[in-house]
Amino acid sequence: MKKTILSGMRPTGKLHVGHLVGALENWVMLQNEYNNYHLIADYHALTTNPDTAGLYANSLDMVIDWVAAGIDPVKSPIFRQSRMKEHAELHLLFSMLITTARLERNPTLKEQVRDLNLDSLVYGHLGYPVLQSADILLYKGDIVPVGEDQVPHIEITREIARRFNNLYGTVFPEPEPKLTKFARLVGLDGNQKMSKSIGNTIELSDPPEAIQAKMRTAVTDPQKVRRNDPGHPDVCVVFSYHQRFNTAEVSDIRAGCETGALGCVDCKKNCSMKIADVLLPIREKRLGLEAHMGDVEDILADGEKRARIVARHTMDEVHTAMKLG
Ligand code: TRP
């Protein structure tokens, strides 16, 4: 029998090439081998931004990005967390199975508090991994494709599953994280993480001109001041993109940079073109979907319907195991 994958993202805005490389390509690759559920974590988005004005539009936009990148909604349901009350209920039940001390030790929480300059935390933010556990376990996810930063959350998921199974009888699997090979793409500014909140991204919807303009701002080797100066590709953001999007030319580019034969301006132009080539089919598919927003809403409605059957079934098992309801 096929194993189940549960994957999710928060709908915080247009997706960028970091998402493509760090998650989406992996999801697309895995969709034939596994039963996949693709979750739009709109409840989770509220932990860092309570403003709901753009939430639905962002969710639709994320569906467009996912499908444009190759997710097949016929194979794998795509649905919104907030439409499935089972997530809220299971989250509540799970919140009795883990200590606050354990959640306070969550390194991802500490990282977010630091990165987002939060001076106080909402209760739901502390419970973020508990809700994520409900997301995964409602569909009995065996495997969760995530970036490294999410691994602590999967560990918490495993602990909750184990605790539930010990207390009430085995209902849940203990899911495993599945890390992507190329987990992180650095930002244009050289920041370790490409992120919308930092503003150092190339978006999947960016046309070639926008990619070129952004690429001009990309951080290169500070020691390569003039065109013919020898450079150090391993400290250059642009070179790291070549490694990912222009594999055929990587060794030539390294040699050109190191000898000084290749200048940064030309190198950036070339890199922009290669990224634009990769994004072209995605952008075309995006435009097609944007012209048929009704179809996008249908994808969600259908995904919801299919996900709900599974979620309800799991909750029936939970109720029986817990002698509730
Ligand atoms: N926490 C994930 C992130 O920020 C998003 C997410 C929510 C998720 N629920 C999930 C990821 C369930 C995987 C499985 O990227």
Side-chain angles (χ1 to χ4, degrees), residues 107-156:
T108 305
L109 182 73
K110 292 185 183 157
E111 223 175 88
Q112 282 194 339
V113 169
R114 194 195 54 220
D115 292 354
L116 303 170
N117 279 317
L118 303 175
D119 43 14
S120 64
L121 269 186
V122 294
Y123 170 62
H125 205 156
L126 187 67
Y128 188 114
V130 185
L131 179 57
Q132 186 161 346
S133 303
D135 298 340
I136 297 166
L137 294 176
L138 255 183
Y139 306 93
K140 300 192 179 178
D142 301 297
I143 289 167
V144 190
V146 283
E148 228 168 311
D149 60 319
Q150 294 292 310
V151 172
H153 292 172
I154 312 305
E155 190 44 52
I156 289 172

mmCIF file of all heavy atoms in Angstrom, residues 107-156:
data_model
loop_
_atom_site.group_PDB
_atom_site.id
_atom_site.type_symbol
_atom_site.label_atom_id
_atom_site.label_comp_id
_atom_site.label_asym_id
_atom_site.label_seq_id
_atom_site.Cartn_x
_atom_site.Cartn_y
_atom_site.Cartn_z
ATOM 1 N N PRO A 107 13.061 24.867 19.326
ATOM 2 C CA PRO A 107 14.034 25.815 18.765
ATOM 3 C C PRO A 107 13.476 26.665 17.630
ATOM 4 O O PRO A 107 13.910 27.801 17.433
ATOM 5 C CB PRO A 107 15.172 24.912 18.263
ATOM 6 C CG PRO A 107 14.608 23.543 18.178
ATOM 7 C CD PRO A 107 13.478 23.468 19.155
ATOM 8 N N THR A 108 12.499 26.142 16.881
ATOM 9 C CA THR A 108 11.907 26.920 15.791
ATOM 10 C C THR A 108 11.175 28.142 16.338
ATOM 11 O O THR A 108 11.204 29.228 15.753
ATOM 12 C CB THR A 108 10.941 26.038 14.981
ATOM 13 O OG1 THR A 108 11.650 24.881 14.555
ATOM 14 C CG2 THR A 108 10.412 26.750 13.763
ATOM 15 N N LEU A 109 10.545 27.951 17.493
ATOM 16 C CA LEU A 109 9.854 29.062 18.140
ATOM 17 C C LEU A 109 10.870 30.150 18.514
ATOM 18 O O LEU A 109 10.669 31.333 18.230
ATOM 19 C CB LEU A 109 9.133 28.552 19.387
ATOM 20 C CG LEU A 109 8.315 29.573 20.168
ATOM 21 C CD1 LEU A 109 7.048 29.920 19.414
ATOM 22 C CD2 LEU A 109 7.957 29.045 21.554
ATOM 23 N N LYS A 110 11.974 29.716 19.107
ATOM 24 C CA LYS A 110 13.006 30.681 19.514
ATOM 25 C C LYS A 110 13.542 31.444 18.305
ATOM 26 O O LYS A 110 13.742 32.648 18.355
ATOM 27 C CB LYS A 110 14.152 29.955 20.225
ATOM 28 C CG LYS A 110 13.734 29.386 21.568
ATOM 29 C CD LYS A 110 14.918 28.783 22.306
ATOM 30 C CE LYS A 110 14.445 28.152 23.607
ATOM 31 N NZ LYS A 110 15.367 27.130 24.090
ATOM 32 N N GLU A 111 13.729 30.719 17.210
ATOM 33 C CA GLU A 111 14.236 31.339 15.980
ATOM 34 C C GLU A 111 13.254 32.401 15.464
ATOM 35 O O GLU A 111 13.643 33.488 15.078
ATOM 36 C CB GLU A 111 14.379 30.247 14.927
ATOM 37 C CG GLU A 111 15.653 30.293 14.104
ATOM 38 C CD GLU A 111 15.724 29.078 13.182
ATOM 39 O OE1 GLU A 111 15.193 29.178 12.060
ATOM 40 O OE2 GLU A 111 16.282 28.035 13.598
ATOM 41 N N GLN A 112 11.966 32.045 15.476
ATOM 42 C CA GLN A 112 10.952 32.983 14.965
ATOM 43 C C GLN A 112 10.857 34.226 15.840
ATOM 44 O O GLN A 112 10.715 35.329 15.333
ATOM 45 C CB GLN A 112 9.590 32.298 14.896
ATOM 46 C CG GLN A 112 9.472 31.383 13.688
ATOM 47 C CD GLN A 112 8.039 30.972 13.422
ATOM 48 O OE1 GLN A 112 7.189 31.033 14.309
ATOM 49 N NE2 GLN A 112 7.762 30.550 12.209
ATOM 50 N N VAL A 113 10.934 34.006 17.140
ATOM 51 C CA VAL A 113 10.861 35.141 18.054
ATOM 52 C C VAL A 113 12.007 36.104 17.740
ATOM 53 O O VAL A 113 11.823 37.320 17.677
ATOM 54 C CB VAL A 113 10.930 34.658 19.520
ATOM 55 C CG1 VAL A 113 11.131 35.828 20.471
ATOM 56 C CG2 VAL A 113 9.661 33.896 19.878
ATOM 57 N N ARG A 114 13.183 35.533 17.472
ATOM 58 C CA ARG A 114 14.350 36.359 17.167
ATOM 59 C C ARG A 114 14.180 37.031 15.797
ATOM 60 O O ARG A 114 14.285 38.246 15.678
ATOM 61 C CB ARG A 114 15.601 35.486 17.196
ATOM 62 C CG ARG A 114 16.896 36.286 17.219
ATOM 63 C CD ARG A 114 18.073 35.401 16.871
ATOM 64 N NE ARG A 114 17.840 34.722 15.611
ATOM 65 C CZ ARG A 114 18.165 33.455 15.376
ATOM 66 N NH1 ARG A 114 18.720 32.713 16.311
ATOM 67 N NH2 ARG A 114 17.934 32.913 14.185
ATOM 68 N N ASP A 115 13.864 36.238 14.759
ATOM 69 C CA ASP A 115 13.809 36.779 13.397
ATOM 70 C C ASP A 115 12.708 37.812 13.222
ATOM 71 O O ASP A 115 12.847 38.748 12.467
ATOM 72 C CB ASP A 115 13.602 35.660 12.378
ATOM 73 C CG ASP A 115 14.819 34.756 12.278
ATOM 74 O OD1 ASP A 115 15.836 35.091 12.921
ATOM 75 O OD2 ASP A 115 14.743 33.731 11.596
ATOM 76 N N LEU A 116 11.593 37.602 13.875
ATOM 77 C CA LEU A 116 10.461 38.509 13.673
ATOM 78 C C LEU A 116 10.405 39.606 14.721
ATOM 79 O O LEU A 116 9.479 40.404 14.747
ATOM 80 C CB LEU A 116 9.132 37.720 13.689
ATOM 81 C CG LEU A 116 9.001 36.589 12.666
ATOM 82 C CD1 LEU A 116 7.773 35.755 12.936
ATOM 83 C CD2 LEU A 116 8.948 37.157 11.255
ATOM 84 N N ASN A 117 11.428 39.624 15.587
ATOM 85 C CA ASN A 117 11.473 40.634 16.646
ATOM 86 C C ASN A 117 10.210 40.668 17.496
ATOM 87 O O ASN A 117 9.685 41.738 17.798
ATOM 88 C CB ASN A 117 11.668 42.028 16.045
ATOM 89 C CG ASN A 117 13.118 42.272 15.727
ATOM 90 O OD1 ASN A 117 13.999 41.924 16.540
ATOM 91 N ND2 ASN A 117 13.395 42.814 14.562
ATOM 92 N N LEU A 118 9.695 39.507 17.841
ATOM 93 C CA LEU A 118 8.479 39.463 18.641
ATOM 94 C C LEU A 118 8.859 39.705 20.102
ATOM 95 O O LEU A 118 9.787 39.093 20.603
ATOM 96 C CB LEU A 118 7.802 38.096 18.527
ATOM 97 C CG LEU A 118 7.432 37.615 17.129
ATOM 98 C CD1 LEU A 118 6.882 36.196 17.183
ATOM 99 C CD2 LEU A 118 6.391 38.541 16.526
ATOM 100 N N ASP A 119 8.157 40.623 20.762
ATOM 101 C CA ASP A 119 8.481 40.781 22.186
ATOM 102 C C ASP A 119 7.504 40.005 23.064
ATOM 103 O O ASP A 119 7.741 39.793 24.236
ATOM 104 C CB ASP A 119 8.591 42.255 22.605
ATOM 105 C CG ASP A 119 7.477 43.082 22.004
ATOM 106 O OD1 ASP A 119 6.513 42.474 21.504
ATOM 107 O OD2 ASP A 119 7.567 44.322 22.031
ATOM 108 N N SER A 120 6.401 39.580 22.484
ATOM 109 C CA SER A 120 5.541 38.690 23.251
ATOM 110 C C SER A 120 4.918 37.669 22.305
ATOM 111 O O SER A 120 4.839 37.894 21.103
ATOM 112 C CB SER A 120 4.445 39.491 23.950
ATOM 113 O OG SER A 120 3.619 40.075 22.967
ATOM 114 N N LEU A 121 4.497 36.577 22.892
ATOM 115 C CA LEU A 121 4.000 35.457 22.102
ATOM 116 C C LEU A 121 2.518 35.277 22.338
ATOM 117 O O LEU A 121 2.058 35.397 23.468
ATOM 118 C CB LEU A 121 4.650 34.180 22.618
ATOM 119 C CG LEU A 121 5.943 33.704 22.011
ATOM 120 C CD1 LEU A 121 6.270 32.351 22.598
ATOM 121 C CD2 LEU A 121 5.829 33.598 20.509
ATOM 122 N N VAL A 122 1.771 34.949 21.298
ATOM 123 C CA VAL A 122 0.388 34.541 21.541
ATOM 124 C C VAL A 122 0.392 33.052 21.906
ATOM 125 O O VAL A 122 1.302 32.303 21.555
ATOM 126 C CB VAL A 122 -0.548 34.813 20.343
ATOM 127 C CG1 VAL A 122 -0.691 36.301 20.103
ATOM 128 C CG2 VAL A 122 -0.109 34.091 19.090
ATOM 129 N N TYR A 123 -0.656 32.670 22.612
ATOM 130 C CA TYR A 123 -0.833 31.284 23.045
ATOM 131 C C TYR A 123 -0.769 30.318 21.855
ATOM 132 O O TYR A 123 -0.130 29.262 21.918
ATOM 133 C CB TYR A 123 -2.194 31.261 23.741
ATOM 134 C CG TYR A 123 -2.801 29.949 24.105
ATOM 135 C CD1 TYR A 123 -2.163 29.092 24.995
ATOM 136 C CD2 TYR A 123 -4.050 29.601 23.596
ATOM 137 C CE1 TYR A 123 -2.758 27.904 25.347
ATOM 138 C CE2 TYR A 123 -4.649 28.420 23.951
ATOM 139 C CZ TYR A 123 -3.998 27.567 24.821
ATOM 140 O OH TYR A 123 -4.595 26.396 25.170
ATOM 141 N N GLY A 124 -1.401 30.720 20.756
ATOM 142 C CA GLY A 124 -1.422 29.862 19.573
ATOM 143 C C GLY A 124 -0.049 29.658 18.950
ATOM 144 O O GLY A 124 0.192 28.658 18.275
ATOM 145 N N HIS A 125 0.834 30.585 19.197
ATOM 146 C CA HIS A 125 2.178 30.434 18.645
ATOM 147 C C HIS A 125 2.942 29.348 19.408
ATOM 148 O O HIS A 125 3.661 28.546 18.826
ATOM 149 C CB HIS A 125 2.925 31.769 18.711
ATOM 150 C CG HIS A 125 4.008 31.883 17.669
ATOM 151 N ND1 HIS A 125 4.469 33.075 17.208
ATOM 152 C CD2 HIS A 125 4.705 30.937 17.006
ATOM 153 C CE1 HIS A 125 5.417 32.864 16.300
ATOM 154 N NE2 HIS A 125 5.571 31.569 16.161
ATOM 155 N N LEU A 126 2.747 29.339 20.707
ATOM 156 C CA LEU A 126 3.352 28.271 21.516
ATOM 157 C C LEU A 126 2.804 26.913 21.056
ATOM 158 O O LEU A 126 3.526 25.932 20.963
ATOM 159 C CB LEU A 126 3.013 28.507 22.993
ATOM 160 C CG LEU A 126 3.704 27.589 23.998
ATOM 161 C CD1 LEU A 126 5.202 27.847 24.028
ATOM 162 C CD2 LEU A 126 3.108 27.788 25.391
ATOM 163 N N GLY A 127 1.508 26.909 20.739
ATOM 164 C CA GLY A 127 0.868 25.665 20.314
ATOM 165 C C GLY A 127 1.031 25.338 18.844
ATOM 166 O O GLY A 127 0.511 24.324 18.370
ATOM 167 N N TYR A 128 1.774 26.144 18.125
ATOM 168 C CA TYR A 128 1.960 25.952 16.681
ATOM 169 C C TYR A 128 2.275 24.494 16.314
ATOM 170 O O TYR A 128 1.611 23.897 15.451
ATOM 171 C CB TYR A 128 3.085 26.900 16.220
ATOM 172 C CG TYR A 128 3.322 27.010 14.739
ATOM 173 C CD1 TYR A 128 3.080 28.194 14.050
ATOM 174 C CD2 TYR A 128 3.827 25.936 14.003
ATOM 175 C CE1 TYR A 128 3.321 28.303 12.690
ATOM 176 C CE2 TYR A 128 4.069 26.034 12.649
ATOM 177 C CZ TYR A 128 3.813 27.220 11.998
ATOM 178 O OH TYR A 128 4.053 27.312 10.650
ATOM 179 N N PRO A 129 3.284 23.885 16.988
ATOM 180 C CA PRO A 129 3.592 22.492 16.602
ATOM 181 C C PRO A 129 2.497 21.500 16.989
ATOM 182 O O PRO A 129 2.433 20.416 16.407
ATOM 183 C CB PRO A 129 4.886 22.161 17.352
ATOM 184 C CG PRO A 129 5.215 23.330 18.190
ATOM 185 C CD PRO A 129 4.227 24.418 17.987
ATOM 186 N N VAL A 130 1.656 21.875 17.940
ATOM 187 C CA VAL A 130 0.555 20.982 18.324
ATOM 188 C C VAL A 130 -0.494 20.979 17.211
ATOM 189 O O VAL A 130 -1.015 19.925 16.815
ATOM 190 C CB VAL A 130 -0.073 21.419 19.672
ATOM 191 C CG1 VAL A 130 -1.131 20.420 20.119
ATOM 192 C CG2 VAL A 130 1.009 21.589 20.730
ATOM 193 N N LEU A 131 -0.766 22.159 16.671
ATOM 194 C CA LEU A 131 -1.682 22.238 15.522
ATOM 195 C C LEU A 131 -1.074 21.529 14.308
ATOM 196 O O LEU A 131 -1.762 20.808 13.582
ATOM 197 C CB LEU A 131 -1.974 23.715 15.195
ATOM 198 C CG LEU A 131 -2.898 23.982 14.004
ATOM 199 C CD1 LEU A 131 -4.251 23.310 14.172
ATOM 200 C CD2 LEU A 131 -3.085 25.490 13.794
ATOM 201 N N GLN A 132 0.211 21.696 14.123
ATOM 202 C CA GLN A 132 0.881 21.021 13.002
ATOM 203 C C GLN A 132 0.792 19.501 13.167
ATOM 204 O O GLN A 132 0.613 18.768 12.190
ATOM 205 C CB GLN A 132 2.341 21.481 12.901
ATOM 206 C CG GLN A 132 3.052 20.941 11.678
ATOM 207 C CD GLN A 132 4.304 21.733 11.317
ATOM 208 O OE1 GLN A 132 4.523 22.843 11.810
ATOM 209 N NE2 GLN A 132 5.133 21.164 10.467
ATOM 210 N N SER A 133 0.898 19.041 14.407
ATOM 211 C CA SER A 133 0.759 17.605 14.673
ATOM 212 C C SER A 133 -0.629 17.127 14.269
ATOM 213 O O SER A 133 -0.788 16.042 13.682
ATOM 214 C CB SER A 133 0.976 17.305 16.159
ATOM 215 O OG SER A 133 2.232 17.770 16.583
ATOM 216 N N ALA A 134 -1.640 17.938 14.588
ATOM 217 C CA ALA A 134 -3.005 17.585 14.199
ATOM 218 C C ALA A 134 -3.120 17.533 12.673
ATOM 219 O O ALA A 134 -3.726 16.611 12.116
ATOM 220 C CB ALA A 134 -3.993 18.588 14.782
ATOM 221 N N ASP A 135 -2.501 18.494 11.992
ATOM 222 C CA ASP A 135 -2.520 18.512 10.516
ATOM 223 C C ASP A 135 -2.016 17.187 9.957
ATOM 224 O O ASP A 135 -2.597 16.615 9.030
ATOM 225 C CB ASP A 135 -1.581 19.592 9.946
ATOM 226 C CG ASP A 135 -1.961 21.000 10.345
ATOM 227 O OD1 ASP A 135 -3.119 21.202 10.736
ATOM 228 O OD2 ASP A 135 -1.091 21.889 10.258
ATOM 229 N N ILE A 136 -0.904 16.761 10.507
ATOM 230 C CA ILE A 136 -0.218 15.587 9.956
ATOM 231 C C ILE A 136 -0.961 14.300 10.326
ATOM 232 O O ILE A 136 -1.206 13.434 9.497
ATOM 233 C CB ILE A 136 1.241 15.533 10.472
ATOM 234 C CG1 ILE A 136 2.016 16.765 9.973
ATOM 235 C CG2 ILE A 136 1.929 14.231 10.058
ATOM 236 C CD1 ILE A 136 3.337 17.004 10.685
ATOM 237 N N LEU A 137 -1.359 14.224 11.599
ATOM 238 C CA LEU A 137 -1.895 12.949 12.093
ATOM 239 C C LEU A 137 -3.348 12.717 11.690
ATOM 240 O O LEU A 137 -3.788 11.578 11.582
ATOM 241 C CB LEU A 137 -1.703 12.863 13.608
ATOM 242 C CG LEU A 137 -0.214 12.797 14.026
ATOM 243 C CD1 LEU A 137 -0.077 12.814 15.540
ATOM 244 C CD2 LEU A 137 0.489 11.570 13.447
ATOM 245 N N LEU A 138 -4.087 13.788 11.413
ATOM 246 C CA LEU A 138 -5.462 13.620 10.927
ATOM 247 C C LEU A 138 -5.482 12.773 9.662
ATOM 248 O O LEU A 138 -6.416 12.026 9.408
ATOM 249 C CB LEU A 138 -6.065 14.984 10.567
ATOM 250 C CG LEU A 138 -7.081 15.600 11.490
ATOM 251 C CD1 LEU A 138 -7.575 16.898 10.888
ATOM 252 C CD2 LEU A 138 -8.242 14.672 11.793
ATOM 253 N N TYR A 139 -4.451 12.926 8.832
ATOM 254 C CA TYR A 139 -4.380 12.181 7.572
ATOM 255 C C TYR A 139 -3.443 10.987 7.703
ATOM 256 O O TYR A 139 -3.067 10.374 6.712
ATOM 257 C CB TYR A 139 -3.961 13.140 6.429
ATOM 258 C CG TYR A 139 -4.919 14.303 6.417
ATOM 259 C CD1 TYR A 139 -4.617 15.470 7.118
ATOM 260 C CD2 TYR A 139 -6.180 14.183 5.852
ATOM 261 C CE1 TYR A 139 -5.537 16.506 7.215
ATOM 262 C CE2 TYR A 139 -7.103 15.209 5.945
ATOM 263 C CZ TYR A 139 -6.786 16.364 6.633
ATOM 264 O OH TYR A 139 -7.704 17.374 6.749
ATOM 265 N N LYS A 140 -3.032 10.709 8.960
ATOM 266 C CA LYS A 140 -2.092 9.620 9.235
ATOM 267 C C LYS A 140 -0.879 9.701 8.324
ATOM 268 O O LYS A 140 -0.492 8.701 7.685
ATOM 269 C CB LYS A 140 -2.792 8.268 9.126
ATOM 270 C CG LYS A 140 -3.948 8.161 10.115
ATOM 271 C CD LYS A 140 -4.461 6.770 10.247
ATOM 272 C CE LYS A 140 -5.607 6.738 11.270
ATOM 273 N NZ LYS A 140 -6.197 5.413 11.414
ATOM 274 N N GLY A 141 -0.310 10.893 8.261
ATOM 275 C CA GLY A 141 0.879 11.091 7.427
ATOM 276 C C GLY A 141 2.038 10.252 7.942
ATOM 277 O O GLY A 141 2.349 10.278 9.129
ATOM 278 N N ASP A 142 2.630 9.478 7.036
ATOM 279 C CA ASP A 142 3.814 8.700 7.408
ATOM 280 C C ASP A 142 5.065 9.537 7.214
ATOM 281 O O ASP A 142 6.054 9.368 7.909
ATOM 282 C CB ASP A 142 3.948 7.458 6.514
ATOM 283 C CG ASP A 142 2.735 6.553 6.622
ATOM 284 O OD1 ASP A 142 2.499 6.033 7.732
ATOM 285 O OD2 ASP A 142 2.011 6.362 5.610
ATOM 286 N N ILE A 143 4.987 10.421 6.230
ATOM 287 C CA ILE A 143 6.166 11.163 5.814
ATOM 288 C C ILE A 143 5.797 12.626 5.624
ATOM 289 O O ILE A 143 4.731 12.940 5.082
ATOM 290 C CB ILE A 143 6.723 10.559 4.512
ATOM 291 C CG1 ILE A 143 7.343 9.202 4.867
ATOM 292 C CG2 ILE A 143 7.747 11.457 3.854
ATOM 293 C CD1 ILE A 143 7.651 8.355 3.720
ATOM 294 N N VAL A 144 6.680 13.508 6.100
ATOM 295 C CA VAL A 144 6.422 14.936 5.976
ATOM 296 C C VAL A 144 7.636 15.596 5.315
ATOM 297 O O VAL A 144 8.703 15.672 5.922
ATOM 298 C CB VAL A 144 6.162 15.578 7.358
ATOM 299 C CG1 VAL A 144 5.652 16.996 7.196
ATOM 300 C CG2 VAL A 144 5.170 14.751 8.169
ATOM 301 N N PRO A 145 7.480 16.041 4.069
ATOM 302 C CA PRO A 145 8.611 16.679 3.392
ATOM 303 C C PRO A 145 8.753 18.122 3.871
ATOM 304 O O PRO A 145 7.871 18.944 3.634
ATOM 305 C CB PRO A 145 8.222 16.625 1.912
ATOM 306 C CG PRO A 145 6.736 16.523 1.901
ATOM 307 C CD PRO A 145 6.280 15.984 3.214
ATOM 308 N N VAL A 146 9.831 18.393 4.552
ATOM 309 C CA VAL A 146 10.007 19.730 5.148
ATOM 310 C C VAL A 146 11.454 20.183 5.032
ATOM 311 O O VAL A 146 12.345 19.395 4.730
ATOM 312 C CB VAL A 146 9.647 19.731 6.647
ATOM 313 C CG1 VAL A 146 8.157 19.730 6.867
ATOM 314 C CG2 VAL A 146 10.321 18.577 7.375
ATOM 315 N N GLY A 147 11.658 21.457 5.309
ATOM 316 C CA GLY A 147 13.008 21.991 5.475
ATOM 317 C C GLY A 147 13.493 21.676 6.885
ATOM 318 O O GLY A 147 12.703 21.332 7.769
ATOM 319 N N GLU A 148 14.788 21.856 7.046
ATOM 320 C CA GLU A 148 15.432 21.519 8.322
ATOM 321 C C GLU A 148 14.786 22.209 9.526
ATOM 322 O O GLU A 148 14.680 21.626 10.600
ATOM 323 C CB GLU A 148 16.878 21.987 8.232
ATOM 324 C CG GLU A 148 17.899 20.987 8.664
ATOM 325 C CD GLU A 148 19.281 21.456 8.254
ATOM 326 O OE1 GLU A 148 19.466 21.846 7.078
ATOM 327 O OE2 GLU A 148 20.137 21.471 9.118
ATOM 328 N N ASP A 149 14.344 23.450 9.304
ATOM 329 C CA ASP A 149 13.793 24.228 10.419
ATOM 330 C C ASP A 149 12.526 23.598 10.995
ATOM 331 O O ASP A 149 12.133 23.910 12.111
ATOM 332 C CB ASP A 149 13.495 25.667 9.956
ATOM 333 C CG ASP A 149 12.491 25.699 8.807
ATOM 334 O OD1 ASP A 149 12.589 24.848 7.902
ATOM 335 O OD2 ASP A 149 11.595 26.560 8.833
ATOM 336 N N GLN A 150 11.882 22.726 10.220
ATOM 337 C CA GLN A 150 10.623 22.130 10.680
ATOM 338 C C GLN A 150 10.817 20.785 11.386
ATOM 339 O O GLN A 150 9.866 20.211 11.923
ATOM 340 C CB GLN A 150 9.675 21.927 9.492
ATOM 341 C CG GLN A 150 9.202 23.221 8.854
ATOM 342 C CD GLN A 150 8.289 24.000 9.780
ATOM 343 O OE1 GLN A 150 7.346 23.456 10.331
ATOM 344 N NE2 GLN A 150 8.585 25.278 9.966
ATOM 345 N N VAL A 151 12.033 20.281 11.369
ATOM 346 C CA VAL A 151 12.271 18.958 11.961
ATOM 347 C C VAL A 151 11.864 18.887 13.445
ATOM 348 O O VAL A 151 11.249 17.901 13.866
ATOM 349 C CB VAL A 151 13.736 18.507 11.735
ATOM 350 C CG1 VAL A 151 14.051 17.236 12.497
ATOM 351 C CG2 VAL A 151 13.973 18.295 10.241
ATOM 352 N N PRO A 152 12.143 19.938 14.238
ATOM 353 C CA PRO A 152 11.688 19.883 15.637
ATOM 354 C C PRO A 152 10.173 19.704 15.760
ATOM 355 O O PRO A 152 9.697 19.085 16.712
ATOM 356 C CB PRO A 152 12.125 21.230 16.216
ATOM 357 C CG PRO A 152 13.230 21.697 15.332
ATOM 358 C CD PRO A 152 12.931 21.158 13.967
ATOM 359 N N HIS A 153 9.424 20.240 14.799
ATOM 360 C CA HIS A 153 7.963 20.090 14.860
ATOM 361 C C HIS A 153 7.544 18.642 14.586
ATOM 362 O O HIS A 153 6.563 18.157 15.145
ATOM 363 C CB HIS A 153 7.282 21.020 13.851
ATOM 364 C CG HIS A 153 7.419 22.464 14.202
ATOM 365 N ND1 HIS A 153 7.028 23.480 13.371
ATOM 366 C CD2 HIS A 153 7.903 23.065 15.325
ATOM 367 C CE1 HIS A 153 7.270 24.643 13.958
ATOM 368 N NE2 HIS A 153 7.814 24.412 15.129
ATOM 369 N N ILE A 154 8.287 17.985 13.721
ATOM 370 C CA ILE A 154 7.953 16.585 13.429
ATOM 371 C C ILE A 154 8.316 15.726 14.645
ATOM 372 O O ILE A 154 7.630 14.750 14.955
ATOM 373 C CB ILE A 154 8.686 16.081 12.154
ATOM 374 C CG1 ILE A 154 8.542 17.083 11.001
ATOM 375 C CG2 ILE A 154 8.162 14.705 11.747
ATOM 376 C CD1 ILE A 154 7.135 17.457 10.628
ATOM 377 N N GLU A 155 9.371 16.101 15.322
ATOM 378 C CA GLU A 155 9.740 15.384 16.550
ATOM 379 C C GLU A 155 8.606 15.506 17.583
ATOM 380 O O GLU A 155 8.209 14.523 18.211
ATOM 381 C CB GLU A 155 11.068 15.947 17.090
ATOM 382 C CG GLU A 155 11.704 15.155 18.211
ATOM 383 C CD GLU A 155 11.698 13.635 17.989
ATOM 384 O OE1 GLU A 155 12.143 13.144 16.935
ATOM 385 O OE2 GLU A 155 11.201 12.942 18.900
ATOM 386 N N ILE A 156 8.062 16.700 17.708
ATOM 387 C CA ILE A 156 6.936 16.907 18.632
ATOM 388 C C ILE A 156 5.725 16.080 18.169
ATOM 389 O O ILE A 156 5.028 15.475 18.988
ATOM 390 C CB ILE A 156 6.601 18.417 18.742
ATOM 391 C CG1 ILE A 156 7.721 19.128 19.514
ATOM 392 C CG2 ILE A 156 5.248 18.650 19.437
ATOM 393 C CD1 ILE A 156 7.619 20.651 19.545
#
